[in-house]
């Protein structure tokens, strides 16, 4: 009996060993691939970068920043599906290939992922199957790389993208030898950021080249010759290059002037050295970042330069090596941009926001100096406050672009500051500080209660509307339209003044008709300022107006005098069509939301009401057709200079011809401290105005005297 029971127990043990032992041995020799994803802590945000050499901006060794450390991905089981997921996380539409065996060089540190297996549709690499974070049997000889399609995802916000190490520099500052309140500090002891404090540099072996580097990092283009080592002295900067689309001074898309036409620079081989040449040419210091992939928005017109190769010592980009461009080489999704080091002016110390739900919104308070020398916070009268003033406030605060400029802030009433210290503020939108804007010498505010003070809502991104100039030229024609078909148009003020005295309903009006297509190439959707509750219903046409004026259509004489005009309320802002891969968000049907999505466009056909200029009273001759979008700056954009287009126009009394339709060249009139400043063709002079503001602030301690 005992023998039988013992034998049964042995049989069971033998069976278990036969099943379990081989599985245990396999487990020790071949680590299992996880069948589930590897969750990461919620407070760890993954960041990505492409590095290595040689490479273009859309290819390289893929590295991930996880748990405070950069690491690579092993090429075991790597596939095009993996590359597609990673390229989308890098802001590209898809992948065209991948590389193995450390083609772009061997990485350092951790190998974060191994045996990665994606389906291709995952939103993040962390959702793909793998061994798990940090579990790998690879060496850096097996580092994987990706080749992404050179097309950016429209509206992609690069919060998880980190530029190459060579495009980053550490922080430095000058500590004045003699304490002073004068800004910026141009001379002093060099200190660098180290851990949680500031440390000084030993002067052994210090050279003038070191001083030039330090001055560049501080935002100055040159160093003052002579002086003792380490106690450096910098020289403030005094173009055929400009920056566009940036929210702050010293940043933006790089554009160069060639054959009297502005164009962009392709980001192939774009480096910090080339970016620094641009920054110093503009009077700033060295470059802080060299940005690729249209990070500051897409430009318009030609692309003048490709594969720019600078040593860093050139006086101009045109002294650097570069290749001429063809349409096959580059497109505007590859426009290069820069962030330059600029002198620290401490402008943000004299302005603050209070009462908002986030640091990006609130009631604007400014620091004012009283007659006895004491300084205190005060409010700004909201009476004349608008988008352009809000743009300056957000720039001064370092909070990007303005979403809204608000004239009432009763819902942000959480501060004990109640006195109005500034009124009549009128900005061009390009100033660095509200103190640089025109304003009343003595406060004069009709509504002095704190709830009527100015406020802002800022944003890191903004829309950017651009008209399609060729379409206007292709679609233009003249129509003689009977008056009995124009009652609705007259009600909406779409006819010239003489129509009021016409013999209604007999006769006709002569209309210059054309189609217009308005693209949003910015980084945020274009939305009407007014909420749906305040849109106006127009029964005649059966639609809501979400903006009072969306577009101005003007016919000008050769000397710029307006001879005929039209205006267009936003009958309905909607996504008519979008680029491939982008979904429509806005449509007018059923009282839908209105707007234009990034990467989409709104089409106004030539055959709808008010899509015209009434030229009934115009004599034959040569004219200029001008179209301006968002003319009253009702909605903030990253760049207003590309909102206008012009065409040369010839009218013989029966037919009309448009030719040379082109972007920009709207004539802007700015007023600064009572003096007139003309800015022509977009922004060559506009950039110079920026520089004058900067330099005269240094010289006159905040006073603006813009004289040309």
């Amino acid at each position: 009996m005992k023998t039988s029971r013992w034998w049964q127990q042995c049989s069971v043990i033998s069976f278990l060993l036969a099943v379990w032992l081989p599985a245990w041995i396999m487990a020790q020799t071949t680590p299992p691939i996880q069948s589930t994803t590897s969750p990461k802590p919620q407070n760890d945000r993954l960041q990505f970068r492409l590095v290595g050499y040689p490479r273009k901006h859309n290819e390289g060794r893929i590295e991930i920043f996880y748990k405070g450390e950069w690491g690579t991905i092993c090429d075991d089981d790597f596939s095009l599906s993996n590359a597609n997921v990673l390229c989308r996380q890098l802001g590209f539409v898809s992948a065209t290939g991948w590389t193995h065996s450390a083609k772009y060089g061997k990485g350092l540190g951790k190998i974060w992922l191994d045996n990665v297996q994606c389906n291709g549709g995952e939103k993040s690499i962390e959702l793909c199957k793998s061994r798990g974070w940090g579990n790998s049997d690879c060496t850096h000889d097996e580092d994987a790389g990706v080749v992404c399609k050179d097309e950016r995802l429209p509206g992609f916000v690069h919060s998880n993208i980190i530029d190459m190490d060579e495009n980053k520099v550490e922080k430095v500052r000058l500590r004045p030898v003699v304490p002073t309140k004068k800004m910026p500090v141009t001379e002093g002891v060099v200190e660098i950021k180290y851990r949680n404090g500031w440390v000084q540099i030993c002067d052994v072996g210090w050279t003038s080249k070191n001083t030039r580097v330090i001055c560049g990092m501080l935002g100055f283009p040159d160093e003052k010759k002579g002086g003792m080592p380490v106690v450096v002295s910098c020289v403030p900067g005094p173009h055929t290059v400009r920056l566009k689309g940036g929210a702050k001074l010293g940043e933006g898309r790089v554009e160069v002037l060639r054959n009297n036409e502005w164009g962009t620079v392709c980001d192939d081989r774009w480096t910090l050295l080339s970016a620094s040449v641009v920054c110093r040419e503009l009077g700033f210091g060295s470059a802080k970042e060299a940005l690729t992939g249209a990070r500051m928005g897409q430009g318009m017109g030609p692309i003048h330069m490709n594969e720019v190769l600078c040593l860093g010592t050139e006086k101009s980009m045109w002294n650097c090596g570069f290749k001429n461009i063809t349409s096959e080489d580059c497109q505007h999704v590859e426009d290069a941009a820069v962030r330059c080091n600029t002198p620290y002016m401490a402008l943000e110390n004299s302005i603050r926001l209070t009462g908002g739900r986030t640091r990006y919104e609130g009631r604007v308070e400014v620091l004012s100096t009283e007659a006895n020398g004491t300084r205190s916070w005060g409010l700004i009268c909201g009476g004349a406050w608008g988008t352009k003033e809000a743009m300056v406030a957000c720039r001064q605060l370092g909070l990007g672009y303005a979403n809204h400029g608000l004239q009432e802030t009763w819902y942000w009433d959480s501060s004990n500051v109640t006195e109005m210290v500034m009124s009549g503020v009128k900005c061009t939108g390009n100033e660095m500080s509200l103190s640089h804007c025109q304003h009343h010498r003595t406060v004069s505010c009709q509504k002095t209660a704190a709830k009527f003070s100015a406020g802002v809502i800022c944003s890191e991104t903004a829309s950017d509307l651009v008209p399609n100039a060729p379409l206007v030229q292709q679609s233009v024609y003249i129509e003689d339209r009977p008056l009995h078909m124009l009652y609705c148009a007259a009600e909406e003020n779409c006819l010239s003044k003489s129509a009021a005295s016409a013999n209604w309903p007999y006769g006709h009006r002569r209309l210059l008709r054309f189609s217009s297509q308005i693209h949003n190439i910015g980084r945020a959707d274009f939305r009407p300022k007014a909420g749906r509750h305040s849109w106006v219903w127009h029964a005649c046409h059966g639609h809501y107006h979400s903006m009072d004026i969306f577009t101005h259509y003007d016919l000008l004489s050769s000397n710029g005098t307006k001879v005929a005009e039209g205006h267009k309320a936003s009958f309905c802002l909607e996504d008519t069509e979008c680029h491939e891969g982008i979904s429509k968000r806005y449509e007018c049907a059923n009282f839908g939301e209105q707007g234009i999505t990034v990467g989409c466009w709104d089409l106004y056909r030539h055959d709808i009401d008010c899509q015209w200029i009434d030229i009934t009273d115009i004599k034959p001759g040569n004219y200029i057709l001008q179209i301006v979008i968002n003319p009253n700056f009702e909605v903030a954009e990253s760049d207003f200079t590309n909102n206008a287009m012009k065409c040369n126009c010839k009218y013989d009394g029966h037919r009309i011809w448009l030719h040379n339709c082109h972007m920009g060249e709207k004539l802007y009139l700015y007023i600064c401290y009572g003096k007139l400043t003309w800015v022509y063709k977009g922004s060559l002079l506009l950039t110079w105005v920026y520089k004058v503001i900067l330099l005269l602030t240094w010289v006159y301690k905040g006073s603006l005297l813009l004289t040309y």
Side-chain angles (χ1 to χ4, degrees), residues 209-234:
K209 291 182 179 180
N210 297 6
T211 300
R212 176 175 170 81
V213 171
I214 293 296
C215 287
M217 293 174 67
L218 291 166
F220 300 99
D222 292 299
E223 76 281 6
K224 187 179 292 184
K225 309 304 179 186
M228 295 296 293
V230 185
V231 180
V232 303
S233 184
C234 308

Side-chain angles (χ1 to χ4, degrees), residues 579-698:
H579 289 298
E580 184 179 355
I582 301 176
S583 301
K584 299 178 183 179
R585 296 181 183 174
Y586 306 105
E587 59 179 347
C588 301
N590 302 318
F591 193 36
E593 290 289 348
Q594 295 192 23
I596 306 176
T597 303
V598 175
C600 300
W601 56 89
D602 193 3
L603 174 65
Y604 293 96
R605 288 175 49 86
H606 55 80
D607 54 0
I608 65 174
D609 263 2
C610 296
Q611 190 58 39
W612 63 56
I613 297 177
D614 185 350
I615 61 170
T616 306
D617 307 319
I618 301 303
K619 297 179 180 179
N622 294 319
Y623 299 95
I624 299 171
L625 171 65
Q626 177 176 275
I627 297 175
V628 184
I629 306 167
N630 193 16
N632 297 338
F633 309 99
E634 191 172 328
V635 178
E637 299 183 45
S638 61
D639 186 2
F640 284 113
T641 61
N642 58 10
N643 283 28
M645 58 156 288
K646 283 187 176 183
C647 301
N648 293 332
C649 177
K650 181 177 177 62
Y651 175 49
D652 67 359
H654 305 283
R655 294 168 298 177
I656 200 158
W657 296 268
L658 292 186
H659 60 96
N660 191 29
C661 289
H662 55 281
M663 296 295 304
E665 298 192 11
K666 179 186 175 185
L667 206 57
Y668 292 94
L669 175 62
Y670 292 125
I671 302 177
C672 267
Y673 284 79
K675 298 194 176 184
L676 299 183
T677 300
W678 291 92
V679 179
Y680 185 57
K681 290 192 176 182
S683 87
L684 179 59
L685 294 182
L686 186 62
T687 303
W688 190 65
V689 170
Y690 255 145
K691 200 54 54 187
V692 169
I693 292 174
L694 184 63
L695 294 179
L696 292 182
T697 301
W698 293 338

Side-chain angles (χ1 to χ4, degrees), residues 386-648:
T387 300
K388 290 187 286 186
E389 289 72 37
M391 289 169 62
V392 176
C394 291
R395 180 180 299 118
Q396 185 177 353
L397 286 159
L399 297 178
Y401 307 96
N403 258 356
H404 296 292
L406 305 164
Q407 296 185 352
E408 293 185 16
T409 54
W410 49 269
Y411 36 81
W412 287 331
D413 193 13
S414 63
S415 173
N416 57 2
V417 177
T418 59
E419 183 184 0
M420 297 285 183
V421 297
M422 204 173 187
S423 64
V425 180
K426 187 174 181 61
C427 304
T428 69
N430 302 299
E431 296 87 350
M432 293 172 21
S433 167
L434 289 174
S435 63
H436 299 159
C437 299
Q438 183 183 12
H439 59 273
H440 295 155
R441 290 183 177 274
T442 304
V443 176
S444 175
C445 188
Q446 292 183 348
K447 299 178 180 180
T448 57
K451 65 180 181 179
F452 296 113
S453 61
V456 296
I457 300 176
C458 304
S459 173
E460 292 182 352
T461 59
S463 61
D464 187 12
L465 298 187
V466 180
N468 184 342
L471 179 63
V472 175
Q473 183 169 323
Q474 296 163 9
S475 60
V476 68
Y477 65 96
I478 286 179
E479 179 192 12
D480 290 331
R481 193 165 182 82
L483 283 173
H484 69 82
M485 300 176 68
L486 293 172
Y487 280 104
C488 280
E491 179 183 311
E492 296 190 4
N493 196 30
C494 295
L495 302 174
S496 62
K497 294 179 181 179
S498 65
S501 58
N503 186 23
W504 291 77
Y506 309 104
H508 68 271
R509 305 297 293 181
R510 175 156 289 186
L511 307 175
L512 172 62
R513 309 198 70 145
F514 47 85
S515 297
S516 66
Q517 191 179 78
I518 300 165
H519 293 245
N520 182 1
I521 64 172
R523 297 177 58 204
D525 294 353
F526 183 91
R527 299 295 310 279
K529 181 179 180 180
R532 296 172 63 181
H533 63 281
S534 60
W535 295 354
V536 179
W537 171 257
H538 281 246
C540 192
H541 282 136
H543 55 243
Y544 283 93
H545 285 195
S546 58
M547 295 175 65
D548 292 334
I549 299 292
F550 179 56
T551 312
H552 275 168
Y553 302 142
D554 297 319
L555 198 65
L556 312 176
S557 66
S558 56
N559 65 6
T561 304
K562 190 182 299 183
V563 296
E565 63 181 332
H567 84 277
K568 187 171 187 60
S570 58
F571 286 174
C572 177
L573 290 175
E574 67 177 3
D575 297 326
T576 307
E577 295 291 342
C578 300
H579 289 298
E580 184 179 355
I582 301 176
S583 301
K584 299 178 183 179
R585 296 181 183 174
Y586 306 105
E587 59 179 347
C588 301
N590 302 318
F591 193 36
E593 290 289 348
Q594 295 192 23
I596 306 176
T597 303
V598 175
C600 300
W601 56 89
D602 193 3
L603 174 65
Y604 293 96
R605 288 175 49 86
H606 55 80
D607 54 0
I608 65 174
D609 263 2
C610 296
Q611 190 58 39
W612 63 56
I613 297 177
D614 185 350
I615 61 170
T616 306
D617 307 319
I618 301 303
K619 297 179 180 179
N622 294 319
Y623 299 95
I624 299 171
L625 171 65
Q626 177 176 275
I627 297 175
V628 184
I629 306 167
N630 193 16
N632 297 338
F633 309 99
E634 191 172 328
V635 178
E637 299 183 45
S638 61
D639 186 2
F640 284 113
T641 61
N642 58 10
N643 283 28
M645 58 156 288
K646 283 187 176 183
C647 301
N648 293 332

Side-chain angles (χ1 to χ4, degrees), residues 161-188:
I161 305 301
I162 299 296
D163 290 300
M164 299 182 302
D165 282 344
E166 58 264 32
N167 284 352
K168 297 288 185 179
V169 291
E170 64 274 12
K171 293 182 179 180
V172 300
R173 72 179 184 185
L174 292 183
R175 180 174 55 80
V177 178
V178 179
T180 177
K181 294 183 179 180
K182 181 182 177 181
M183 299 297 293
V185 177
T186 60
E187 184 171 317

